[in-house]
Amino acid sequence: MSNTPLDLRSAVLDQIVPAGEPWMGTVERGQILRIVDLEGNQAVDTLFYNAHATEERYSAVDTIRAQGNIYLTTGTELRSSLGATMLTIIEDTCGRHDTLGGACSAESNTVRYALEKRHMHACRDNFLLALARYDHALTKRDLPSNINFFMNVPVTPAGELHFADGVSAAGRYVQLQAQMDVLVLISNCPQLNNPCNAYNPTPIRLLIWAAG
Ligand SMILES: [Zn+2]
């Protein structure tokens, strides 16, 4: 990986994902995926699958154990359920990403906020919608613990999780290089009840560059 900045005009994909919407696509081995937090402190709930054998998928536990650290940033190897490196974080202008907090769902909205929040749009619904649109037989049981890019969930010395104010800002990005062909499943979180995004979901930009 050279230190030459990547030319935005040479990206093979350059797409805005609107606030609250899902996205699913493939990143081939060697390709570079950049996720840009366009307006700041947007949670980008993300899962990865081996594109050729989707029963192999991102594993938060294997990733944490492999690097001996709970936070994801530059140098983190995102490990699969079989222990393989799926992607490597090669650049990170945010500095910290969470993989403990999980994705919001109708159920968690009810428990965390209020009963009448049950029917609000949530990441789990986004994941299921994207999977249903995609031509694959993946369902609810294929949703393991996810990554929350740009989300700040510090763990206290006593081991408590805190959903803290974000450390990201407009224009910050995380860049990953695929070590295998991966299916990428994103929910650009629609959450309206959590101060982590200032109660204001915002769009993200996805860029992919060819290998080499
Ligand atoms: Zn969410």
Side-chain angles (χ1 to χ4, degrees):
M1 181 63 204
S2 76
N3 291 321
T4 312
L6 291 163
D7 184 352
L8 297 180
R9 293 166 302 180
S10 68
V12 296
L13 178 127
D14 183 355
Q15 187 174 344
I16 302 290
V17 180
E21 291 294 310
W23 182 87
M24 195 165 184
T26 303
V27 178
E28 295 168 11
R29 183 178 180 188
Q31 288 188 328
I32 291 171
L33 167 68
R34 181 187 292 183
I35 306 171
V36 186
D37 185 6
L38 287 174
E39 298 184 27
N41 291 333
Q42 172 61 17
V44 182
D45 293 50
T46 305
L47 285 167
F48 298 102
Y49 302 84
N50 178 333
H52 307 291
T54 53
E55 63 274 16
E56 181 178 16
R57 66 274 309 261
Y58 172 71
S59 167
V61 170
D62 289 277
T63 299
I64 289 168
R65 186 170 51 215
Q67 69 173 3
N69 194 295
I70 55 174
Y71 303 122
L72 312 184
T73 186
T74 307
T76 294
E77 296 179 351
L78 302 180
R79 299 298 182 105
S80 76
S81 48
L82 299 180
T85 301
M86 305 187 81
L87 306 98
T88 305
I89 299 179
I90 56 173
E91 199 177 340
D92 176 18
T93 65
C94 172
R96 175 184 286 187
H97 309 272
D98 163 69
T99 193
L100 296 172
C104 64
S105 64
E107 293 79 4
S108 71
N109 279 343
T110 306
V111 171
R112 263 189 210 151
Y113 307 114
L115 196 56
E116 67 267 23
K117 307 292 188 186
R118 180 171 178 83
H119 302 288
M120 294 179 72
H121 194 36
C123 281
R124 186 155 287 253
D125 299 328
N126 260 348
F127 283 151
L128 292 173
L129 179 63
L131 289 176
R133 286 174 177 162
Y134 205 80
D135 189 22
H136 270 269
L138 295 168
T139 64
K140 193 179 251 183
R141 68 181 176 183
D142 298 300
L143 297 178
S145 297
N146 59 286
I147 297 169
N148 294 304
F149 286 115
F150 308 112
M151 200 163 153
N152 184 26
V153 184
V155 175
T156 70
E160 295 171 319
L161 288 184
H162 278 260
F163 289 81
D165 284 346
V167 292
S168 189
R172 296 202 181 173
Y173 64 83
V174 60
Q175 197 154 286
L176 307 105
Q177 187 157 35
Q179 309 296 333
M180 62 171 70
D181 295 347
V182 289
L183 267 180
V184 184
L185 174 60
I186 287 175
S187 166
N188 191 20
C189 183
Q191 184 57 254
L192 291 169
N193 302 293
N194 192 321
C196 70
N197 63 2
Y199 310 100
N200 178 34
T202 49
I204 56 168
R205 182 181 184 184
L206 301 179
L207 295 129
I208 297 175
W209 284 272

